[in-house]
Amino acid sequence: MSNIPAVNALLTAINHDRFAEIEAHHASDAVFHSFRGPTLRDSVAIADWHREFLRDYADCNYTELEYVEQGNTVALRATIEAKAYDWRPFAQRIVEVFEFDDAGEISARRLYAMLRDIELDKAATASMTDAQGFQGGSASTTKGVVDKFLTSVAAGDIDGMKEPIHDKATLIDGVYGIAHGFDNILALSGSRPQPAFGTLRVTRVLTGEHDAMLEWAIEPSRPRLAQWFRLVDGKVRVVEVYWMLREVGVNPMENYANDRHRRQVILPI
Protein backbone atom coordinates (compact mmCIF):
# COMPACT_ATOMS: atom_id res chain seq x y z
CA MET A 1 0.00 0.00 0.00
CA SER A 2 1.28 3.44 -0.91
CA ASN A 3 2.19 5.93 1.81
CA ILE A 4 1.75 8.94 -0.49
CA PRO A 5 -1.84 9.63 0.77
CA ALA A 6 -0.43 9.81 4.33
CA VAL A 7 2.17 12.34 3.15
CA ASN A 8 -0.55 14.40 1.49
CA ALA A 9 -2.62 14.29 4.69
CA LEU A 10 0.35 15.66 6.65
CA LEU A 11 0.87 18.42 4.07
CA THR A 12 -2.81 19.37 4.36
CA ALA A 13 -2.44 19.58 8.14
CA ILE A 14 0.63 21.80 7.73
CA ASN A 15 -1.05 24.02 5.16
CA HIS A 16 -4.00 24.58 7.54
CA ASP A 17 -2.01 24.95 10.80
CA ARG A 18 -3.55 21.82 12.35
CA PHE A 19 -0.92 21.07 14.96
CA ALA A 20 -2.74 18.21 16.69
CA GLU A 21 -3.03 16.44 13.33
CA ILE A 22 0.65 17.07 12.61
CA GLU A 23 1.54 15.39 15.90
CA ALA A 24 -0.84 12.49 15.23
CA HIS A 25 0.81 11.66 11.90
CA HIS A 26 4.14 10.98 13.65
CA ALA A 27 5.21 8.09 15.82
CA SER A 28 5.81 9.16 19.41
CA ASP A 29 9.59 8.70 18.98
CA ALA A 30 9.81 10.11 15.44
CA VAL A 31 13.08 11.81 14.44
CA PHE A 32 12.98 14.98 12.34
CA HIS A 33 16.00 16.66 10.71
CA SER A 34 15.25 19.99 9.03
CA PHE A 35 17.26 22.58 7.15
CA ARG A 36 16.40 25.07 9.92
CA GLY A 37 17.33 22.77 12.81
CA PRO A 38 17.41 21.56 15.50
CA THR A 39 17.07 17.78 15.32
CA LEU A 40 13.80 16.73 17.00
CA ARG A 41 13.14 13.31 18.53
CA ASP A 42 9.46 13.12 19.45
CA SER A 43 6.09 13.96 17.94
CA VAL A 44 5.25 16.71 20.46
CA ALA A 45 8.48 18.58 19.68
CA ILE A 46 7.80 18.21 15.95
CA ALA A 47 4.34 19.76 16.33
CA ASP A 48 5.83 22.61 18.37
CA TRP A 49 8.49 23.12 15.68
CA HIS A 50 5.73 23.55 13.12
CA ARG A 51 4.10 26.25 15.26
CA GLU A 52 7.26 28.34 14.93
CA PHE A 53 7.77 27.36 11.30
CA LEU A 54 4.26 28.44 10.33
CA ARG A 55 4.74 31.73 12.13
CA ASP A 56 7.71 32.50 9.87
CA TYR A 57 6.06 30.86 6.83
CA ALA A 58 2.59 32.40 7.08
CA ASP A 59 -0.13 31.16 4.69
CA CYS A 60 2.12 28.17 3.93
CA ASN A 61 1.19 26.11 0.88
CA TYR A 62 3.02 23.10 -0.58
CA THR A 63 2.78 23.23 -4.39
CA GLU A 64 4.28 21.48 -7.46
CA LEU A 65 4.31 18.13 -5.66
CA GLU A 66 6.39 15.28 -7.11
CA TYR A 67 6.99 11.89 -5.51
CA VAL A 68 9.34 8.93 -5.64
CA GLU A 69 8.32 5.98 -3.46
CA GLN A 70 10.09 2.75 -2.59
CA GLY A 71 9.04 0.39 0.18
CA ASN A 72 8.21 2.34 3.33
CA THR A 73 9.95 5.53 2.14
CA VAL A 74 8.53 8.47 0.19
CA ALA A 75 10.63 11.31 -1.26
CA LEU A 76 8.77 14.53 -2.00
CA ARG A 77 9.95 17.35 -4.26
CA ALA A 78 7.85 20.47 -3.74
CA THR A 79 7.79 24.24 -3.65
CA ILE A 80 6.68 25.99 -0.48
CA GLU A 81 4.83 29.23 -1.14
CA ALA A 82 4.44 31.43 1.92
CA LYS A 83 4.65 34.98 3.26
CA ALA A 84 7.62 36.31 5.18
CA TYR A 85 7.73 38.39 8.36
CA ASP A 86 6.74 41.51 6.41
CA TRP A 87 3.95 39.58 4.63
CA ARG A 88 5.73 39.61 1.28
CA PRO A 89 5.29 36.34 -0.65
CA PHE A 90 8.26 34.07 -1.36
CA ALA A 91 8.87 30.58 -2.72
CA GLN A 92 11.32 27.95 -1.50
CA ARG A 93 12.08 24.68 -3.26
CA ILE A 94 12.40 21.68 -0.92
CA VAL A 95 12.97 17.93 -0.87
CA GLU A 96 11.57 15.97 2.05
CA VAL A 97 12.07 12.29 2.85
CA PHE A 98 9.51 10.38 4.93
CA GLU A 99 10.03 6.95 6.48
CA PHE A 100 6.96 5.06 7.75
CA ASP A 101 6.68 2.33 10.38
CA ASP A 102 4.42 -0.73 10.22
CA ALA A 103 1.59 1.23 11.87
CA GLY A 104 1.58 3.77 9.04
CA GLU A 105 3.03 6.56 11.18
CA ILE A 106 6.03 8.67 10.21
CA SER A 107 9.10 7.39 12.05
CA ALA A 108 11.67 9.69 10.42
CA ARG A 109 11.67 12.88 8.33
CA ARG A 110 14.45 14.82 6.64
CA LEU A 111 13.68 18.24 5.15
CA TYR A 112 16.24 19.74 2.74
CA ALA A 113 15.92 23.12 1.01
CA MET A 114 17.31 25.62 -1.43
CA LEU A 115 17.56 29.27 -0.52
CA ARG A 116 14.42 31.28 -1.14
CA ASP A 117 13.34 32.61 -4.53
CA ILE A 118 15.92 30.83 -6.68
CA GLU A 119 15.74 32.32 -10.18
CA LEU A 120 16.46 30.01 -13.11
CA ASP A 121 18.21 31.36 -16.19
CA LYS A 122 16.97 30.66 -19.70
CA ALA A 123 19.00 27.46 -20.17
CA ALA A 124 17.97 26.08 -16.76
CA THR A 125 14.33 26.83 -17.52
CA ALA A 126 14.62 24.99 -20.84
CA SER A 127 16.21 22.00 -19.10
CA MET A 128 13.47 21.87 -16.45
CA THR A 129 10.74 22.19 -19.09
CA ASP A 130 12.26 19.33 -21.09
CA ALA A 131 12.67 17.10 -18.03
CA GLN A 132 9.24 17.76 -16.53
CA GLY A 133 7.56 17.19 -19.89
CA PHE A 134 9.17 13.78 -20.39
CA GLN A 135 6.70 10.95 -19.74
CA GLY A 136 8.73 7.83 -20.58
CA GLY A 137 11.31 5.81 -18.73
CA SER A 138 11.16 3.05 -16.13
CA ALA A 139 12.33 2.59 -12.55
CA SER A 140 14.80 -0.12 -13.64
CA THR A 141 16.33 2.12 -16.31
CA THR A 142 16.62 5.01 -13.87
CA LYS A 143 18.26 2.76 -11.28
CA GLY A 144 20.74 1.47 -13.86
CA VAL A 145 21.72 5.01 -14.89
CA VAL A 146 22.12 6.20 -11.28
CA ASP A 147 24.06 3.08 -10.21
CA LYS A 148 26.44 3.48 -13.16
CA PHE A 149 26.96 7.16 -12.36
CA LEU A 150 27.68 6.47 -8.69
CA THR A 151 30.09 3.66 -9.55
CA SER A 152 32.02 6.09 -11.76
CA VAL A 153 32.00 8.74 -9.00
CA ALA A 154 33.40 6.23 -6.51
CA ALA A 155 36.13 5.21 -8.97
CA GLY A 156 36.97 8.78 -9.96
CA ASP A 157 36.20 7.83 -13.58
CA ILE A 158 35.46 11.15 -15.32
CA ASP A 159 34.54 9.53 -18.65
CA GLY A 160 32.21 7.11 -16.87
CA MET A 161 30.57 9.99 -15.01
CA LYS A 162 30.07 11.90 -18.25
CA GLU A 163 28.46 9.04 -20.17
CA PRO A 164 24.99 9.14 -18.53
CA ILE A 165 24.88 12.96 -18.47
CA HIS A 166 22.85 14.77 -21.14
CA ASP A 167 24.81 17.10 -23.44
CA LYS A 168 22.72 20.04 -22.24
CA ALA A 169 22.40 18.94 -18.63
CA THR A 170 21.84 21.53 -15.90
CA LEU A 171 22.87 21.52 -12.25
CA ILE A 172 20.73 23.71 -9.97
CA ASP A 173 22.42 24.04 -6.60
CA GLY A 174 20.25 25.86 -4.10
CA VAL A 175 23.27 27.44 -2.38
CA TYR A 176 26.25 27.49 -4.74
CA GLY A 177 24.72 28.35 -8.12
CA ILE A 178 23.67 26.98 -11.51
CA ALA A 179 25.86 25.31 -14.15
CA HIS A 180 25.26 23.91 -17.64
CA GLY A 181 27.13 21.14 -19.42
CA PHE A 182 29.19 18.38 -17.85
CA ASP A 183 32.45 20.31 -17.55
CA ASN A 184 30.81 23.28 -15.83
CA ILE A 185 28.80 20.98 -13.56
CA LEU A 186 31.99 19.18 -12.55
CA ALA A 187 33.73 22.49 -11.88
CA LEU A 188 30.88 23.82 -9.73
CA SER A 189 30.62 20.58 -7.77
CA GLY A 190 34.36 20.62 -7.14
CA SER A 191 34.31 24.24 -5.96
CA ARG A 192 32.01 23.60 -3.01
CA PRO A 193 33.72 23.91 0.38
CA GLN A 194 34.75 20.50 1.69
CA PRO A 195 34.86 19.37 5.33
CA ALA A 196 38.26 18.88 6.91
CA PHE A 197 37.48 15.28 7.85
CA GLY A 198 35.31 12.53 6.42
CA THR A 199 34.03 11.54 3.00
CA LEU A 200 30.66 12.32 1.50
CA ARG A 201 28.75 9.08 0.86
CA VAL A 202 25.35 8.14 -0.50
CA THR A 203 23.04 7.02 2.30
CA ARG A 204 19.87 6.38 0.27
CA VAL A 205 18.75 6.10 -3.35
CA LEU A 206 15.10 6.09 -4.45
CA THR A 207 14.28 5.66 -8.13
CA GLY A 208 11.12 6.26 -10.13
CA GLU A 209 10.25 6.12 -13.82
CA HIS A 210 12.27 9.19 -14.73
CA ASP A 211 13.25 10.72 -11.37
CA ALA A 212 15.65 9.66 -8.65
CA MET A 213 16.40 11.02 -5.19
CA LEU A 214 19.83 10.60 -3.60
CA GLU A 215 20.74 11.47 -0.02
CA TRP A 216 24.36 12.16 0.95
CA ALA A 217 26.07 12.48 4.32
CA ILE A 218 29.48 12.35 5.93
CA GLU A 219 28.02 11.03 9.19
CA PRO A 220 24.74 9.15 8.53
CA SER A 221 23.16 10.57 11.69
CA ARG A 222 23.69 14.08 10.28
CA PRO A 223 22.07 14.31 6.79
CA ARG A 224 23.85 16.80 4.56
CA LEU A 225 22.28 17.10 1.11
CA ALA A 226 19.74 15.58 -1.25
CA GLN A 227 19.89 15.48 -5.04
CA TRP A 228 16.88 15.15 -7.32
CA PHE A 229 17.87 13.63 -10.69
CA ARG A 230 15.59 14.15 -13.70
CA LEU A 231 16.16 11.83 -16.65
CA VAL A 232 15.19 12.19 -20.30
CA ASP A 233 15.65 9.18 -22.61
CA GLY A 234 18.03 7.51 -20.16
CA LYS A 235 20.24 10.58 -19.72
CA VAL A 236 20.46 12.87 -16.68
CA ARG A 237 18.94 16.16 -17.84
CA VAL A 238 18.68 18.06 -14.54
CA VAL A 239 20.23 17.63 -11.11
CA GLU A 240 18.74 19.73 -8.29
CA VAL A 241 20.75 20.02 -5.07
CA TYR A 242 19.02 20.66 -1.74
CA TRP A 243 20.92 21.21 1.52
CA MET A 244 20.54 20.86 5.25
CA LEU A 245 21.39 24.55 5.36
CA ARG A 246 22.50 24.72 8.99
CA GLU A 247 24.64 21.61 8.53
CA VAL A 248 26.73 23.46 5.93
CA GLY A 249 26.90 26.71 7.91
CA VAL A 250 24.17 28.62 6.07
CA ASN A 251 21.70 30.49 8.24
CA PRO A 252 18.31 29.85 6.60
CA MET A 253 16.86 32.95 8.27
CA GLU A 254 19.69 35.29 7.29
CA ASN A 255 18.33 38.57 5.92
CA TYR A 256 14.88 37.62 7.24
CA ALA A 257 13.64 39.01 10.56
CA ASN A 258 11.82 36.68 12.94
CA ASP A 259 9.32 39.16 14.35
CA ARG A 260 6.18 39.35 12.27
CA HIS A 261 4.53 42.70 11.63
CA ARG A 262 0.96 42.50 12.91
CA ARG A 263 -1.76 43.15 10.39
CA GLN A 264 -4.02 45.92 11.62
CA VAL A 265 -6.30 48.58 10.25
CA ILE A 266 -4.69 52.04 10.25
CA LEU A 267 -7.39 54.59 10.98
CA PRO A 268 -7.10 58.27 10.03
CA ILE A 269 -6.43 60.68 12.90
Side-chain angles (χ1 to χ4, degrees):
M1 184 177 70
S2 173
N3 287 305
I4 291 177
V7 171
N8 288 336
L10 173 64
L11 300 185
T12 298
I14 294 172
N15 288 346
H16 292 88
D17 298 8
R18 298 172 184 167
F19 303 110
E21 288 184 30
I22 293 172
E23 179 181 346
H25 282 294
H26 294 82
S28 60
D29 58 349
V31 178
F32 180 33
H33 299 269
S34 81
F35 67 89
R36 286 163 58 103
T39 299
L40 306 173
R41 301 187 182 279
D42 65 78
S43 58
V44 175
I46 292 170
D48 289 342
W49 181 92
H50 277 285
R51 290 179 190 276
E52 182 176 346
F53 177 77
L54 293 171
R55 179 202 68 193
D56 297 331
Y57 285 60
D59 298 341
C60 177
N61 187 34
Y62 280 71
T63 65
E64 301 176 340
L65 307 180
E66 302 173 82
Y67 308 93
V68 175
E69 182 175 24
Q70 277 184 214
N72 67 341
T73 305
V74 176
L76 166 72
R77 212 302 309 164
T79 299
I80 294 176
E81 296 177 350
K83 293 177 181 176
Y85 79 101
D86 55 1
W87 300 99
R88 293 182 182 180
F90 68 88
Q92 187 165 24
R93 300 170 68 89
I94 61 99
V95 160
E96 188 157 9
V97 183
F98 303 85
E99 295 179 18
F100 288 82
D101 60 19
D102 293 338
E105 296 179 324
I106 298 168
S107 59
R109 284 173 64 191
R110 295 177 292 281
L111 174 59
Y112 306 85
M114 295 188 180
L115 296 177
R116 299 181 183 183
D117 294 325
I118 296 293
E119 294 186 7
L120 304 183
D121 58 24
K122 185 176 180 179
T125 300
S127 294
M128 285 293 294
T129 300
D130 186 23
Q132 291 178 317
F134 180 67
Q135 300 299 320
S138 67
S140 59
T141 298
T142 301
K143 185 177 187 304
V145 171
V146 172
D147 287 347
K148 186 173 183 179
F149 175 76
L150 293 177
T151 298
S152 299
V153 171
D157 180 3
I158 301 299
D159 291 335
M161 293 165 58
K162 185 175 183 178
E163 184 177 345
I165 303 299
H166 193 281
D167 291 341
K168 296 182 179 180
T170 295
L171 173 72
I172 304 170
D173 188 312
V175 173
Y176 297 105
I178 298 174
H180 307 288
F182 178 79
D183 292 339
N184 292 327
I185 290 173
L186 189 64
L188 177 59
S189 299
S191 68
R192 297 174 184 145
Q194 300 297 316
F197 301 98
T199 302
L200 201 60
R201 294 181 174 89
V202 175
T203 56
R204 183 181 297 275
V205 178
L206 302 181
T207 55
E209 291 184 352
H210 43 259
D211 292 329
M213 192 284 304
L214 284 66
E215 288 186 277
W216 299 74
I218 296 169
E219 165 55 51
S221 65
R222 297 176 60 179
R224 192 172 184 86
L225 68 97
Q227 294 177 326
W228 193 273
F229 280 48
R230 300 179 185 273
L231 276 64
V232 173
D233 291 328
K235 295 282 189 177
V236 178
R237 187 71 167 93
V238 178
V239 179
E240 300 167 64
V241 184
Y242 300 81
W243 294 90
M244 283 290 175
L245 297 175
R246 286 197 178 278
E247 178 70 16
V248 294
V250 177
N251 180 1
M253 297 303 292
E254 186 175 7
N255 299 324
Y256 303 103
N258 291 321
D259 297 327
R260 179 166 297 283
H261 295 197
R262 294 184 60 190
R263 281 179 169 167
Q264 59 185 3
V265 176
I266 301 176
L267 299 175
I269 298 176

